[in-house]
């Protein structure tokens, strides 16, 4: 099963491809966008390497991967549903990790939650997932608000090993999740 093109009222979510690379470079070059991820802007070379990994995510599990979000044909950011990659995230079968990253000029417009809601719908209805989770730094209140807004619930706080700790990393990472049953009950 290849990745589907998905649509919301405002966003067209298309499978990430090479044509989106320059947008990914712009996105990851903003230190404010990267504040809770790497703490700094990424170089073109770093993003090019990550782009290849992002494209490969679609090959790891049918229907999952990265999507570029377009509003009126303009790139606004990307969303992801991918299988768990760490042992502490639980079994791969039946679950996926949700993520999103938007260009700063599109923040606070409800786009992150709109795209994320569509990925939850796709994951549960189209792909038959049983659980979707998301992670962020505990101090990332904007991302946590998005997780709450789409019906995800706080699961745990944990501490990741950072080579170069970011401000606030001492407070840990948080995991939020929603099961298919919870999602169905909230509709």
């Amino acid at each position: 099963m290849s990745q589907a093109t998905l649509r919301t009222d405002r966003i067209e979510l298309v499978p990430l491809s090479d044509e989106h690379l320059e947008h990914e470079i712009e996105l990851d070059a903003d230190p404010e966008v990267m504040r809770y991820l790497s703490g700094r802007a990424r170089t073109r070379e770093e993003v090019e390497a990550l782009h290849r990994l992002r494209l490969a995510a679609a090959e790891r599990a049918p229907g999952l991967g990265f999507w570029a979000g377009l509003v009126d044909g303009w790139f606004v950011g990307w969303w992801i549903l991918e299988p768990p990659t760490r042992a502490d995230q639980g079994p791969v079968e039946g679950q996926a990790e949700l993520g999103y990253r938007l260009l700063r000029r599109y923040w606070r417009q409800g786009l992150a939650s709109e795209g994320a809601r569509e990925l939850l719908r796709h994951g549960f209805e189209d792909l038959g997932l049983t659980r979707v989770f998301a992670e962020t730094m505990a101090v990332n209140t904007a991302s946590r608000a998005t997780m709450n807004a789409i019906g995800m619930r706080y699961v745990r706080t944990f501490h990741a090993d950072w080579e170069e700790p970011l401000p606030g990393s001492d407070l840990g990472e948080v995991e939020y999740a929603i099961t298919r049953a919870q999602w169905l009950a909230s509709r």
Side-chain angles (χ1 to χ4, degrees), residues 2 17 29 34 40 72-74 119 123 144 147 151 153 164 174:
S2 62
S17 69
M34 301 304 295
R40 62 171 180 78
D72 297 325
W74 295 94
L119 283 187
R144 292 180 77 167
M147 293 173 195
R153 300 175 183 174
E164 298 176 32
V174 291

Side-chain angles (χ1 to χ4, degrees), residues 117-136:
R117 278 189 195 94
E118 177 57 15
L119 283 187
L120 289 179
R121 186 213 58 78
H122 176 62
F124 292 131
E125 277 186 8
D126 302 337
L127 304 178
L129 295 176
T130 56
R131 181 178 186 267
V132 174
F133 68 94
E135 298 176 347
T136 191

Side-chain angles (χ1 to χ4, degrees), residues 3 6 8 11-16 27 64-71 74-82 97-103 106 110-120 146 150:
Q3 270 182 275
L6 308 170
T8 71
I11 308 168
E12 181 181 26
L13 295 163
V14 299
L16 191 72
L27 184 63
L64 299 182
F66 279 77
W67 283 264
L70 308 172
V71 172
W74 295 94
F75 178 88
V76 298
W78 56 249
W79 284 258
I80 183 174
L81 270 180
E82 72 174 334
E97 181 174 9
L98 171 72
Y100 36 82
R101 187 175 307 165
L102 276 67
L103 292 166
Y106 295 105
L111 294 170
S113 57
E114 185 174 329
R117 278 189 195 94
E118 177 57 15
L119 283 187
L120 289 179
T146 297
I150 64 171

Side-chain angles (χ1 to χ4, degrees), residues 31-104:
E32 196 57 29
V33 169
M34 301 304 295
R35 179 177 175 190
Y36 299 113
L37 300 162
S38 64
R40 62 171 180 78
R42 288 192 172 131
T43 66
R44 170 179 274 282
E45 292 75 23
E46 288 172 316
V47 178
E48 287 173 348
L50 288 168
H51 172 74
R52 288 188 292 279
L53 294 174
R54 292 170 182 159
L55 293 178
E59 298 170 10
R60 293 200 330 255
L64 299 182
F66 279 77
W67 283 264
L70 308 172
V71 172
D72 297 325
W74 295 94
F75 178 88
V76 298
W78 56 249
W79 284 258
I80 183 174
L81 270 180
E82 72 174 334
T85 57
R86 299 189 324 264
D88 71 311
Q89 293 174 320
V92 171
E93 188 67 32
Q95 72 166 346
E97 181 174 9
L98 171 72
Y100 36 82
R101 187 175 307 165
L102 276 67
L103 292 166
R104 194 179 344 171

Side-chain angles (χ1 to χ4, degrees), residues 132-179:
V132 174
F133 68 94
E135 298 176 347
T136 191
M137 287 181 64
V139 295
N140 189 347
T141 56
S143 189
R144 292 180 77 167
T146 297
M147 293 173 195
N148 280 318
I150 64 171
M152 297 183 107
R153 300 175 183 174
Y154 169 83
V155 174
R156 68 183 176 129
T157 299
F158 63 98
H159 288 81
D161 293 325
W162 293 84
E163 283 184 30
E164 298 176 32
L166 302 178
S169 62
D170 57 312
L171 299 175
E173 302 277 320
V174 291
E175 177 184 334
Y176 281 66
I178 187 169
T179 65

